[in-house]
Amino acid sequence: MRSLFALVILPMLCLLPGAATALTLVTAEEAALPTPKPVPLLPPTIMPRGITRGPEIDVESPRNQGKPVHSPFPLRIGFIAHGGAHINPASVKVIYLRQGNIDLTGRL
């Protein structure tokens, strides 16, 4: 896991403007948008074959253990691939789920 973080996430973090600079990902107007109603998941009609499990997201920081997190805070995540799969960092998208979802990928 640590090597994945060093190879994938750390180079991405180096592209951010300064380590001490706070970055606003969601504006107050965007945060005030209504949350969409959850869509119930339908059971698959055909059982998938092979490796179908997506990567896990490992939150390195903040490790809040159930406590609230207040902005700004350092965010560090890593991905854990399964079954010999590889993670393509260019394919990662970050979306804030609101009514009219907000793509945050370009803000990171």
Side-chain angles (χ1 to χ4, degrees):
M1 175 57 220
R2 300 262 183 233
S3 62
L4 176 67
F5 180 79
L7 291 174
V8 176
I9 301 302
L10 195 55
M12 289 172 54
L13 292 176
C14 291
L15 298 175
L16 292 176
T21 304
L23 179 67
T24 301
L25 290 179
V26 180
T27 65
E29 294 82 20
E30 292 169 334
L33 292 172
T35 306
K37 293 181 181 177
V39 178
L41 297 176
L42 299 175
T45 56
I46 300 173
M47 291 303 293
R49 296 175 139 205
I51 302 168
T52 58
R53 207 166 107 189
E56 289 180 49
I57 298 174
D58 181 36
V59 179
E60 297 273 332
S61 168
R63 294 240 185 236
N64 60 352
Q65 288 112 18
K67 299 175 187 171
V69 177
H70 301 284
S71 181
F73 60 89
L75 176 64
R76 293 181 186 261
I77 60 170
F79 298 99
I80 303 170
H82 300 286
H86 298 283
I87 308 245
N88 178 3
S91 68
V92 174
K93 291 190 184 260
V94 179
I95 298 174
Y96 184 49
L97 298 177
R98 287 291 186 194
Q99 203 68 27
N101 294 338
I102 302 164
D103 188 358
L104 300 177
T105 309
R107 302 179 192 184
L108 295 176

